[in-house]
């Protein structure tokens, strides 16, 4: 085979040469490098690699310290791997395919004019979604580390890892509230008559109306003071409210007047929240060996229910009108900046990009797993589920509009309550309504549950990777998961009050969507493509999967995706609008300040960490940069990047022939 030049990575070459001069036994990737702190810190050279250091992209003889890799010999735990590769696929499906597909995506379609939203959505899949999705999985698989230590590939930018940890922590905190609401609805479904289907409950108002007859009022010959439905005139009918909406706002949320009116705790919701957190804890506490089995059920069962609901939905009157509203684009919407911002945001949110969880899941893969193929399969499943769920939602919206005699855009209020308004309406109209309601909300619980516990898994993985393997003690993972869940639960208590919905929207709008994810994705591409090297990482991927990915990935990482991310980011800032609830309540100035603090808490991790490391280092700026961007390799790199290591042992150390052989084996 023709010899090729080593791509801009002479550091790894010298480490291999020096290791050959003082060989260590290789068993399961162990002992190839001297031990260091597991957080990738610089340690004094040991006997094996005395005197090597990185300078200006090359390794030169020096008395300085050098970045060396984790040991996996005595005292260190070998990293877990998935029992089957399908465990990884199902975990990614469970994490990425969740409430964002059947709750957020249809809501954004409704908000942004229906089918027109699909145009920017599909565009951003190929210029942003798939390239970064693949980048994060491949990076985790190559570095065998969680969201923080994975940036040992360029230690100067380890702030990216801390930023992703902050984002996923916020996401874990507020995302679970949707599960608590779903669990509350599930419990209420076990009644002979669904509580949201009638107007004779204590939380209903005089404006509540079960059956709307707007079509009678649309007749111009009928005066406004004519009694049409019950004791209501046409004028009063225009202000009538569905019992479903009243159940959501008056009973479940018991919503207050604003963010400054927190009100009382909803103890029923608090117990539901506690139950969901306990469930999440026992799904995560034993690691990927158990998580990989649970997702087989939590990731597949929702599809069965979605198919059943679609069959029921398309048989309802008005469903065709709703589906046409979903498919027929309103071209004028493309002129609105918010449509493009929401499309880009939805891609990053739905694909779970920038959260660090995909990196954690990829780190448990076999080193030679074909993550390139996995990325395309998972992207197809993710986007296909979103598109399919839209048919279910809009067939039901069409039916609701037909029943009430109004336009589809008026059948549900805007906001995250869409799934708790349109869907309950659908199941209440089916035969044996309590059974269908329980089935649907059980599906909703499963959809969010696997996303939630995989997010917690990603956060805990990043935390545990910061501790050296020699500090292993019993129940370390169990204690870490318990602390994480308890801390999130305490913060969640602010969201089970009467003003909790305002707090929830504050987290959703600022902390884990929009600007933060775009900022994170931008820097991930810059660091891998321009600091570490796009061609260099493509070679690393080729070592793992056995072939070189299509150059489109490299072009996206280097140029297209960073430009798209920064373009939407700047567009978002220019077109920034204050947060509102239901387009009526405007958040106070201090509420926006809290929101911006949530956003900046993750975004500032990158520049602050970078400046701190540069100021702490010694030497000229060029020397500091070269030293801090030199990768910290793991012991598994020696095993997999030098497969012919046995043949090397027969060569005398330090000879030119030895260097040539190592040079080829690295490739």
């Amino acid at each position: 085979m023709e010899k090729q030049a080593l791509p801009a990575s002479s550091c790894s070459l010298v480490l291999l040469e020096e290791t050959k001069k003082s060989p260590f036994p290789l068993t399961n990737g162990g002992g190839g490098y001297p031990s260091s702190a597991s957080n990738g810190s610089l340690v004094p050279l040991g006997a094996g690699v005395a005197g090597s250091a990185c300078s200006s992209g090359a390794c030169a003889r020096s008395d300085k310290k050098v970045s060396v890799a984790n040991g996996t010999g005595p005292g260190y735990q070998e990293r877990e791997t998935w029992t089957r590769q399908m465990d990884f696929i199902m975990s990614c499906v469970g994490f990425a395919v969740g409430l964002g597909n059947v709750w957020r995506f249809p809501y954004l379609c409704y908000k942004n004019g229906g089918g027109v939203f699909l145009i920017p959505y599909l565009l951003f899949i190929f210029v942003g979604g798939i390239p970064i999705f693949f980048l994060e999985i491949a990076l985790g698989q190559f570095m065998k580390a969680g969201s923080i230590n994975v940036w040992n590939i360029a230690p100067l930018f380890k702030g990216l890892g801390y930023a992703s940890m902050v984002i996923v922590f916020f996401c874990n905190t507020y995302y679970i509230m949707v599960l608590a609401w779903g669990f509350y609805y599930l419990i209420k479904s076990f009644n002979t008559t669904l509580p949201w289907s009638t107007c004779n409950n204590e939380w209903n108002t005089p404006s509540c109306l079960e059956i709307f007859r707007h079509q009678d009022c649309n007749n111009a010959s009928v005066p406004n003071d004519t009694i049409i439905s019950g004791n209501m005139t046409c004028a009063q009918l225009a202000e009538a409210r569905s019992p479903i909406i009243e159940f959501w706002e008056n009973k479940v949320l018991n919503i207050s007047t604003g963010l400054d009116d927190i009100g009382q705790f909803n103890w029923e919701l608090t117990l539901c929240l506690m139950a969901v957190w306990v469930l999440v804890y026992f799904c995560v506490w034993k690691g990927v060996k158990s998580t990989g089995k649970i997702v087989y059920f939590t990731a597949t069962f929702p599809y069965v229910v979605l198919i059943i609901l679609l069959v029921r939905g398309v048989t309802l009157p008005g469903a065709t009108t709703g589906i046409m509203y979903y498919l027929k684009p309103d071209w004028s919407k493309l002129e609105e900046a918010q449509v493009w911002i929401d499309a880009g945001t939805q891609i990053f949110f739905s694909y779970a990009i920038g959260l660090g969880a995909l990196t954690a899941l990829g780190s448990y893969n076999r080193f030679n797993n074909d993550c390139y193929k996995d990325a395309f399969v998972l992207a197809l499943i993710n986007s296909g589920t979103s598109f399919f769920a839209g048919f279910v939602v809009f067939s039901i919206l069409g039916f609701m509009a037909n029943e009430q005699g109004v336009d589809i855009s008026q059948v549900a209020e805007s906001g995250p309550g869409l799934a708790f308004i349109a869907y309950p309406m659908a199941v209440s109209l089916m035969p044996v309504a309590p059974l269908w309601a329980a089935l649907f909300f059980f599906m909703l619980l499963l959809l969010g549950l696997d996303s939630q516990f995989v997010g917690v898994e990603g956060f805990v993985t990043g935390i545990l990777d910061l501790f050296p393997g020699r500090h292993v003690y019993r129940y370390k993972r169990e204690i870490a998961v318990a602390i994480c869940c308890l801390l999130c639960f305490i913060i969640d208590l602010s969201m089970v009050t009467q003003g909790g919905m305002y707090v929830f929207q504050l987290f959703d709008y600022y902390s884990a969507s929009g600007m933060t994810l775009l900022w994170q994705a931008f820097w991930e591409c810059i660091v891998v493509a321009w600091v570490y090297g796009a061609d260099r990482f493509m070679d690393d991927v080729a070592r793992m999967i056995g072939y070189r990915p299509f150059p489109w990935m490299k072009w996206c990482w280097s140029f297209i995706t960073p430009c798209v991310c920064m373009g939407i980011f700047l567009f978002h800032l220019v077109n920034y609008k204050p947060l509102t609830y239901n387009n009526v309540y405007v958040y106070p100035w201090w509420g926006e300040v809290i929101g911006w603090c949530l956003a900046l808490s993750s975004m500032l991790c990158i520049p602050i960490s970078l400046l701190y490391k540069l100021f702490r280092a010694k030497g000229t700026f060029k020397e500091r940069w070269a030293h801090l961007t030199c990768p910290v390799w793991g012991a598994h790199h020696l095993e997999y990047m030098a497969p012919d290591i046995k043949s090397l042992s027969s060569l005398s150390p330090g000879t030119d022939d030895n260097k040539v052989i190592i040079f080829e084996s690295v490739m």
Side-chain angles (χ1 to χ4, degrees), residues 69-82:
N70 299 8
T72 54
Y76 288 85
Q77 282 187 318
E78 185 179 354
R79 192 171 190 83
E80 282 186 295
T81 57
W82 301 105

Side-chain angles (χ1 to χ4, degrees), residues 501-520:
M501 188 57 171
Y502 303 108
V503 179
F504 173 85
Q505 276 209 323
L506 206 60
F507 272 81
D508 182 52
Y509 192 76
Y510 289 100
S511 68
S513 63
M515 302 174 302
T516 55
L517 299 183
L518 292 167
W519 177 261
Q520 183 78 2

Side-chain angles (χ1 to χ4, degrees), residues 132-318:
I132 304 181
F133 191 88
F134 169 57
L135 173 64
E136 292 195 357
I137 292 177
L139 200 58
Q141 181 172 313
F142 180 66
M143 295 300 293
K144 290 287 185 183
S147 56
I148 296 179
N149 279 358
V150 74
W151 294 107
N152 282 338
I153 199 170
L156 179 61
F157 293 89
K158 219 167 185 180
L160 274 165
Y162 298 116
S164 65
M165 292 287 284
V166 173
I167 296 174
V168 77
F169 176 77
F170 285 147
C171 190
N172 291 339
T173 299
Y174 83 87
Y175 187 83
I176 200 169
M177 278 307 304
V178 184
L179 304 187
W181 294 331
F183 189 55
Y184 183 81
Y185 271 80
L186 176 62
I187 295 174
K188 294 297 182 180
S189 298
F190 294 101
N191 289 287
T192 306
T193 302
L194 295 176
W196 57 80
S197 61
T198 63
C199 287
N200 55 357
N201 302 289
E202 59 180 357
W203 58 82
N204 293 125
T205 65
S207 300
C208 181
L209 185 63
E210 297 178 16
I211 302 176
F212 288 80
R213 296 176 58 188
H214 287 287
Q215 62 273 16
D216 293 340
C217 291
N218 291 335
N219 186 349
S221 62
V222 179
N224 284 338
D225 57 357
T226 303
I227 296 178
I228 295 296
S229 179
N231 295 323
M232 289 188 176
T233 63
C234 288
Q236 293 172 329
L237 189 62
E239 302 297 326
R241 291 165 60 86
S242 166
I244 298 174
I245 296 177
E246 293 205 342
F247 177 79
W248 166 247
E249 293 191 347
N250 299 344
K251 175 61 176 176
V252 180
L253 299 180
N254 193 17
I255 195 163
S256 65
T257 57
L259 185 62
D260 54 346
D261 183 13
I262 294 298
Q264 300 177 343
F265 282 101
N266 185 330
W267 294 108
E268 291 181 324
L269 269 184
T270 303
L271 293 176
C272 291
L273 178 66
M274 184 184 300
V276 175
W277 267 121
V278 170
L279 192 59
V280 169
Y281 174 78
F282 285 108
C283 288
V284 178
W285 70 325
K286 291 298 183 182
V288 297
K289 296 296 184 182
S290 60
T291 303
K293 303 300 181 293
I294 297 172
V295 292
Y296 277 91
F297 176 70
T298 60
T300 56
F301 181 76
Y303 287 96
V304 177
V305 182
L306 279 176
I307 293 174
I308 296 174
L309 289 175
L310 177 63
V311 172
R312 175 57 180 166
V314 297
T315 60
L316 297 171

